[in-house]
Amino acid sequence: MDEGQRSVLGDTEMTGERLRAARESVGLSLSTLATRTHFSKSLLGQLETGERRIRAEHVRAYSDALGIGSVLFAEPADGEEAAAEWLQRLAVSDVGGDTLEQLESAVDDLASAYNTTPPGELLVRIRTYLGYVGRLMDSRMTLTQHRRLLVTAGWLSLLASTCHVDLGELSAAAARGHLTWTLADEAGHPEISAWCLETRAWQQLTGGEFEQATKLSRAAQEIAPAGSSAFIQATAQEGRALARLGDSTGTYSALRKVARLVSGLRMPDRPEHHFRYDPAKSDAYVATTLAWLGDPGAESYARHVLADLVGAVTTRPRRIASANLDLGLALVAAGKPDEAADATLTAVTSGRLVPSTYWRVSEVVTGIEGRDAVDAALVRDAFRDIYPARLDGTGRQSRRPYL
């Protein structure tokens, strides 16, 4: 490889292949990257193919646009190696306490915006902060400051992984998950580690791997601090996975355990925060779990959840859409296909569904179809109009799940 194909960032050799891998690992096209930098698409292409020399300003542009600096310049499968490389980047300046506090506050703001912000938009904001945190890792700091920065990076990477799962970008989700796990281990932060496993369990659940989702949920409970939000969420996730497996005994046991955990639990100061368990969330999980189990009580639970959500001061549009899908599935089981179609159509036309939940629409539509083909077609057509097939990170048309 000649000099025109490489650059150096710190002690790390930068090549066109690594730039391309970084871009593709987060699902960006050259055109999109060009809009996020001041460089043209043709120049970026020449950098990635080795036709142009890579300079420091090019690397900084990629870092700012993609996030977390050099760690993304590794193949997603090499998550631990990439994270180790990233964590070794220590140099010469200072990190002030005010900077860390501002970053920690930004994490809370981003996690609180999760329920109301489309995942693709939220990812752009997360990457901006990850890019900043990555550059701060090139600073000299105390051990306490270093751990706080690692924890901040861990939460940001975890939230990014969650957004990738929602978008169906599983390779990017796995890469972020590997990094999150490594950061949490380095920082000695078991709750982030537990959330990492719980997020992976959700991904497996949406992919139909119910036994694996159960195992991951239980593994998350084993390492989560007792009574923590991660522990409660992982317990609820186990109940949902067992419901998909048809294990009614295990499902009801998990639901009772969650009920005990949330009884007397105080409302967090920011209940919309994705990583702080909101006691009101418990009923929504019960509705979903009972609907998946085929329990007749799902209908009343789903109606109760919807009434509370619609009347709440703070709007949670994605949770409302999910509750409508719960109600639709429960109504199918109750032999009310017309009402099921209305509830599902409400969820679809909200525009708040994400790729990781498309399969739930299909499940309800399939149930309606055998009894009311006209209503089933109405929901299916609305879904196809509102959620067109997307392009994946390689420029190919992604599979629009199930419908």
Side-chain angles (χ1 to χ4, degrees), residues 1-7 50:
M1 182 180 296
D2 61 39
E3 184 180 8
Q5 291 178 286
R6 65 179 66 183
S7 179

Side-chain angles (χ1 to χ4, degrees), residues 118-386:
E121 293 181 16
L122 192 60
L123 264 174
V124 173
R125 295 166 58 186
I126 294 169
R127 287 175 185 143
T128 298
Y129 283 100
L130 280 170
Y132 183 46
V133 171
R135 290 192 295 277
L136 287 179
M137 292 306 295
D138 286 338
S139 304
R140 191 178 304 280
M141 64 197 85
T142 66
L143 289 175
T144 298
Q145 290 171 333
H146 183 240
R147 183 180 184 274
R148 287 175 66 184
L149 199 58
L150 290 178
V151 170
T152 297
W155 285 121
L156 288 169
S157 183
L158 176 63
L159 189 58
S161 179
T162 305
C163 290
H164 283 303
V165 172
D166 287 340
L167 292 169
E169 298 169 351
L170 303 188
S171 177
R176 297 286 192 183
H178 285 311
L179 172 60
T180 302
W181 181 265
T182 305
L183 290 167
D185 181 63
E186 183 73 15
H189 202 293
E191 184 162 16
I192 293 179
S193 297
W195 273 111
C196 189
L197 292 176
E198 190 279 335
T199 301
R200 178 67 173 167
W202 166 241
Q203 179 181 328
Q204 294 296 311
L205 185 59
T206 61
E209 300 294 335
F210 306 132
E211 290 186 0
Q212 186 65 14
T214 303
K215 292 177 182 178
L216 287 165
S217 297
R218 289 170 176 167
Q221 293 171 62
E222 289 177 1
I223 63 175
S228 65
S229 292
F231 186 89
I232 299 171
Q233 182 75 8
T235 304
Q237 202 71 278
E238 178 189 358
R240 297 206 293 183
L242 291 172
R244 300 303 301 189
L245 289 168
D247 182 351
S248 58
T249 300
T251 300
Y252 293 132
S253 176
L255 289 176
R256 287 192 294 270
K257 187 175 180 180
V258 172
R260 290 194 299 270
L261 288 167
V262 301
S263 64
L265 187 67
R266 297 180 61 183
M267 183 73 71
D269 56 349
R270 300 183 75 169
E272 69 277 11
H273 196 295
H274 185 60
F275 300 117
R276 294 178 189 167
Y277 197 87
D278 169 9
K281 195 176 185 179
S282 178
D283 284 347
Y285 267 68
V286 171
T288 302
T289 306
L290 293 181
W292 288 355
L293 191 62
D295 187 306
E299 180 181 348
S300 60
Y301 256 102
R303 292 189 187 281
H304 168 70
V305 169
L306 275 170
D308 285 348
L309 287 171
V310 172
V313 175
T314 302
T315 303
R316 293 179 172 81
R318 284 178 60 181
R319 199 179 292 184
I320 291 173
S322 179
N324 272 301
L325 291 177
D326 292 334
L327 179 59
L329 187 59
L331 289 168
V332 167
K336 304 173 183 178
D338 53 340
E339 293 183 56
D342 287 341
T344 308
L345 193 60
T346 298
V348 169
T349 56
S350 72
R352 293 292 183 167
L353 299 180
V354 294
S356 63
T357 58
Y358 289 172
W359 65 277
R360 298 197 60 198
V361 179
S362 176
E363 184 173 50
V364 181
V365 170
T366 299
I368 297 170
E369 200 158 27
R371 306 180 186 187
D372 192 331
V374 173
D375 279 345
L378 179 65
V379 176
R380 183 182 293 106
D381 290 344
F383 176 85
R384 288 174 174 169
D385 287 342
I386 297 172

Side-chain angles (χ1 to χ4, degrees), residues 20-33 48 127 164 167-172 390-399:
R20 185 178 64 253
R23 174 178 58 77
E24 291 179 348
S25 73
V26 295
L28 289 186
S29 66
L30 278 172
S31 297
T32 302
L33 184 60
E48 294 187 4
R127 287 175 185 143
H164 283 303
L167 292 169
E169 298 169 351
L170 303 188
S171 177
R390 299 179 301 117
L391 295 181
D392 63 20
T394 66
R396 296 190 298 265
Q397 181 169 291
S398 60
R399 182 170 62 93

